[in-house]
Amino acid sequence: MFKKEVYITRRDRLKRELKSGIALFPGNEEAAFNYPANQYHFRQDSHFLYFFGLDHPGFAGVIDVDNDKEYIFGNDFDIEDIIWMGVQPKVADLAAEVGITNTAPMNNLATFIADAMKAGRQIHFLPPYRGETMIHLSQLLNTSIDEVKNGASVELIKGVVKLKEVKDEYEIAEIEKAVDIAYLMHTTAMKMAMPGIVEQEIAGTIEGISLALGGPVSFPVILSMDGQTLHNHYHGNTLVEGRMMVTDAGSETQLHYSSDITRTVPVGGKFNTRQAEIYQIVLDTNLKAIEAIKPGVPYRDIHFLAARVIVDGLKKAGLMKGDTEAAVEAGAHTLFMPHGLGHMMGMDVHDMEGLGEDYVGYDETVTRSDQFGTAYLRLAKALKPGFVLTVEPGYFIPALIDKFRNEGKFMDFINYDKVETYKDFGGIRIEDDVLVTDTGNRVLGKPIPKTIEEVEKTMAEPREWIRMDGFI
Ligand code: GLY
Ligand code: MN
Ligand code: MN
């Protein structure tokens, strides 16, 4: 965990944002995999981690804004636990590590909350995303699950977003570490992408690299020759020459900061002419979008800049036609880039998405579009120094080609006859994790090969033995 002053400062800042009431942060519990004693790898709640740092199940954190007091509720291990898991630190000792002196058994939390409610004090909580937490909150607040789902505190959500969206130097260092692990995952995937290899062999290998060097993957690995499906979790294809393999994968560090990187490579290691032409358009889009990142620029403007670069490139390749601005205004680019350019990153790979995308990616100056494609944009508001976000243009969805053509859409902008010949092409996506600096931006982590020359050179190199030195 970080030093205790980091957590003390974060809680103090949150108190100033909230002004009154009680902020309740239930930590996560162990979650059963296929029977109660066989559990998933424990993952603490990211907001609890941010303010209370303790990476153990069975805790709740409370910030009493009115009385300027903070509490950890949790139970010390009993002898039964110690038999199975060894001697563990006391709750009071753990709490002291993050600057908290008030601790109490978990059973006391119900009385604490009931007394506060009787006194008419507001209990702020964030939107819960796990069933166990919803049940726990409904018991503590003596209300229905539906009311818990809809009753999250907007003030607390806004306060948490305001603090967490700007990453401090310790967090940026952790995200860089996560990208450095992703470097090894992606360069390994490139070297393995040879005809005859089954996708699962590569997906499993790179997931193992994440586990060996940090923690679990930051989201289930997306690795497929059918990269046109944005979130494809099927890994059963045998790679064949002439196709491209999309790998969208990242790692979580031991402190739970994530990376989210996508690379697309030609199976066998050499781009053919058609692949190189389209790949270069996506790469140019990725580079031009990154170049435009600086404080004050709304990310929606960069999304549309990316759309224009794609349209210009596809016009040159003969797949689109007409006026670029008019094509983007009409939404014709969404045939090729039906998703948003990127999202915030942090401990959650889509940072804070559980709090509501409109609170994280939008504000009073930018509201969500209802146009197909643009509506999926997760981050649209003006950028600030300290934001960490992804840049991930990409495309080719055969089902959309048929749909748009049948609906007679964008006939002035799309050369459907030519586009039809790309239905077997697959997809290309190139994604990087980028920090907004005071003057511009910095792509985080060790640069991961992405030009055609770099990718081909890496694919020709032998796989190396990956060691954990420097990571753990
Ligand atoms: N890995 C999911 C995404 O790129 O947003
Ligand atoms: Mn991704
Ligand atoms: Mn992403």
Side-chain angles (χ1 to χ4, degrees), residues 334-336 338 372 397-406 416:
T334 62
L335 174 57
F336 305 102
F372 173 78
I397 316 262
L400 272 187
I401 299 171
D402 291 340
K403 181 176 183 308
F404 283 11
R405 185 169 209 175
N406 291 339
Y416 279 105

Side-chain angles (χ1 to χ4, degrees), residues 219 231 248 260 343 350 392 431:
F219 56 93
H231 286 178
D248 182 354
D260 180 12
H343 50 84
H350 290 178
E392 47 182 308
E431 176 175 24

